[in-house]
Amino acid sequence: MSDKKPNTKNTKAASKNTSKKTASGKVIKPLRRTNAAKSGQVGGKSDSKATNSRKERLFGRLKKNDEQGAYTSVKNQKSKRGFLGKASGASSRGGFEQDKNRFRMIWVISLVILGLLIARAYYLQVANAQFYQDKGNELITSVRTQKSYRGMITDRNNLPLAISAPLATVTFSPHDYAREYYELKRIILTNPDSPKLVARMQKRLDNMDLTKLAAAANVPVDELKKVTAIDASVDVTDEEAVKAALPKGAGSHYLPLLNKVTPEIAQSVSSLDFPGVYEKNFFQRYYPQPQPNSQLLGFMGQNSTDPEGGYEGRAGIEHQYETELSGSDGKVLVLKDAKQNSLKELKQIEPEVAGKDVALTIDSRLQYLLYKELEKAGRVQKARWSTGMIVDVQTGEVLALSTWPSFNSNNLNEMTGENQRNRALLDVFEPGSVMKPFTVATALDSGKYTPTSLIDTNPGSIRVRGYTIRDHNNLGRINLATLLQKSSNVASTKIALSLPPEAITNMQRQFGFGKKTPLQFPGEGSGMIVTPKEKETARRATVSYGYGLQVTLAQVAQAYSALAAGGVIHPLTLIKDDKTKPSKRIMAHEQAMSIVQMLESVTETGGTAKAAAIDGYRVAGKTGTSRRINPEGGYYSDQYRNVFAGIVPASNPRLVGVMLIEDPRGQMYAGLTVAPVFHNVMKEALRLYNVPLDKPLETKAK
């Protein structure tokens, strides 16, 4: 048997081919080694042919797979069309261009995004920073108003007429108390593993004993327990159950404990640091001398435009000098917790500026005396009202100004539309005979008359344009002093008709009638002076003795002060300061003092106001009794107005007093009703100011 040796060369070649490394890349079908045993041929030529056949098939598949990319390395793969039509992949051709474009695109997108982020950050942190800052501050802070102290109103001697007393109101919120109580219970129940936290919460819970609060506020503890309505059976871990158990309805959020008490009393309750207890501090306006000063000082009322419900002056001096008295409130930024409770003050936003004190020229002693005498006369005469004022001749300062009936400015429930009016400044009226001294002044100023000139009043009346003007009796031929002493309407009429039609009204205007006084009091009347025409003889006549015009009592006081000052008008003032008010001379000194001397006869024997005389002093003055106007036309036949204006002492005038009683029912004439008021008030005023006597005291015979 001649077995042939295997072909070593072929075997090695086959072995070499089969031992080649597997191509890298994606393998679609794994190569399988041919099992020689299955073919049934081990060697020889047939084996060589078979081997070659297998090689051809193998390399054919490799070529096909190479074309399909199965065994191709990444380096040899054909590039595919990529992003924006450019070649993609790590191909050796075009790879740098593709990476450069992609790099640029990424940078562009990154820069755009960065720009948007910067713009957004600028908008939030720079352009609109304040808006978002304010929104954030609203969550954790609040602005609290610090009420400024309102300035005092004092008299000329610095005695307080209006002051602001600090008060406090302490309230209790049962709702807030119960909410805190259930919250502490919940924390204790849900944190058994935190003994320190539990102990701290338990201590706070123990401090919420309503007995302590009831004792400090002097409130029955049963009432507090009733309004808080604590339910021990509530499941404190159930939020809905807790909400249902909280107090509701009227009084659940606001229960007054202490109302308008001093801060010291309020501190005894607020110092407990009790949950649901709140303290509000404010200033309460207080008037130590209410009735005599109520119409002058005015009162405080709630400011509808103030969100804090603040108060402002609503009348009188309180209103006129609101800006000076009120100052400006301060604002403080306060840190608050989730329950809106203030924790601490962070910073002062606006400083608090206290109001300035306003010192009046009023003498509170004279003010009280004047009011009491006006009240006494008003009640005795059963009058509608009475008013008066006292003026310092040398300065124009108003020393007293009061009206009866009045009200308690500490209790505005007493105030009505009638008793709140400052009659001396607001009300206008026909003054009557108190205007005759200015008619005499016009006569002297014209040059046609002298103090010794005689006027024929026979037969005691005169007919003017169908009207008859009468005196109380036939005075015959009288001089200017008698005209004032007897208050002659006929003599006044003859003077008026002998002068140009505008002469008397021009003189009245020079003395301040027909316009508001320099006091500029809120609501002050200006009166009315109408110059009659040449043919209006009746009006020319009536103006001379105080009819057909309207004045205020303050204008009368200012005019008489000008006479007493020797023809120099000193503007009236209510504010005490060191500023010199401009004065104006309106007539010659000699003429003015001659009129004052004439007016002395009015308070002497035979005059119409002997009741105004004061022992030891020369008193000059003039009465005025005029009929009240009937709204339906004409005048009332049984209603009068009584006025008296006086100057003391006449030798060296220091004080002027003017008083008025409206519609007295006891007596008819001013010499009997209002002249005694002047006497009683001015006698005390002269004593208070230590004015020297200018007349011997009368001695009573034993």
Side-chain angles (χ1 to χ4, degrees), residues 28-187:
I28 299 177
K29 294 182 180 180
L31 297 177
R32 292 182 297 175
R33 183 175 297 175
T34 304
N35 193 343
K38 281 188 178 182
S39 63
Q41 297 179 0
V42 179
K45 189 174 181 180
S46 61
D47 292 338
S48 177
K49 290 180 179 181
T51 300
N52 291 335
S53 178
R54 285 195 299 274
K55 287 180 180 180
E56 291 175 0
R57 288 194 301 271
L58 174 61
F59 284 107
R61 286 196 301 270
L62 288 174
K63 184 177 181 181
K64 183 179 180 180
N65 289 334
D66 184 70
E67 293 175 354
Q68 296 176 351
Y71 291 94
T72 308
S73 66
V74 175
K75 180 178 179 181
N76 294 327
Q77 287 182 9
K78 292 182 178 180
S79 62
K80 298 180 181 179
R81 305 302 291 176
F83 181 67
L84 296 177
K86 300 294 182 181
S88 63
S91 173
S92 60
R93 292 181 303 214
F96 176 74
E97 291 296 331
Q98 294 170 359
D99 291 342
K100 183 172 69 173
N101 292 335
R102 186 183 303 151
F103 180 78
R104 289 175 177 173
M105 184 58 63
I106 291 172
W107 267 105
V108 169
I109 295 173
S110 300
L111 290 175
V112 171
I113 295 174
L114 180 62
L116 292 175
L117 292 176
I118 293 174
R120 181 62 176 170
Y122 177 83
Y123 175 76
L124 295 177
Q125 301 182 27
V126 180
N128 209 25
Q130 191 61 43
F131 172 78
Y132 289 101
Q133 190 176 26
D134 294 342
K135 285 294 184 182
N137 289 340
E138 288 180 3
L139 300 176
I140 60 173
T141 62
S142 63
V143 177
R144 187 179 66 192
T145 301
Q146 285 183 330
K147 289 294 182 182
S148 62
Y149 177 80
R150 189 175 181 86
M152 291 194 303
I153 301 176
T154 65
D155 76 344
R156 65 187 300 109
N157 300 314
N158 293 323
L159 295 177
L161 301 179
I163 58 177
S164 292
L167 296 178
T169 295
V170 181
T171 60
F172 178 57
S173 173
H175 181 277
D176 293 351
Y177 173 87
R179 182 180 60 186
E180 181 72 10
Y181 181 90
Y182 293 131
E183 178 64 15
L184 293 176
K185 281 285 191 180
R186 185 192 65 80
I187 295 174

Side-chain angles (χ1 to χ4, degrees), residues 445-505:
D445 186 67
S446 69
K448 291 185 177 182
Y449 296 86
T450 65
T452 59
S453 297
L454 297 178
I455 303 171
D456 188 2
T457 64
N458 287 303
S461 63
I462 186 173
R463 190 79 175 169
V464 179
R465 288 282 181 176
Y467 296 95
T468 300
I469 299 173
R470 295 185 175 87
D471 286 336
H472 296 295
N473 48 56
N474 186 3
L475 301 175
R477 292 171 60 85
I478 60 174
N479 58 21
L480 298 182
T482 305
L483 182 157
L484 296 176
Q485 181 187 34
K486 301 296 183 178
S487 194
S488 173
N489 294 336
V490 175
S492 298
T493 299
K494 288 194 171 184
I495 290 175
L497 296 179
S498 68
L499 299 175
E502 71 278 359
I504 291 180
T505 53

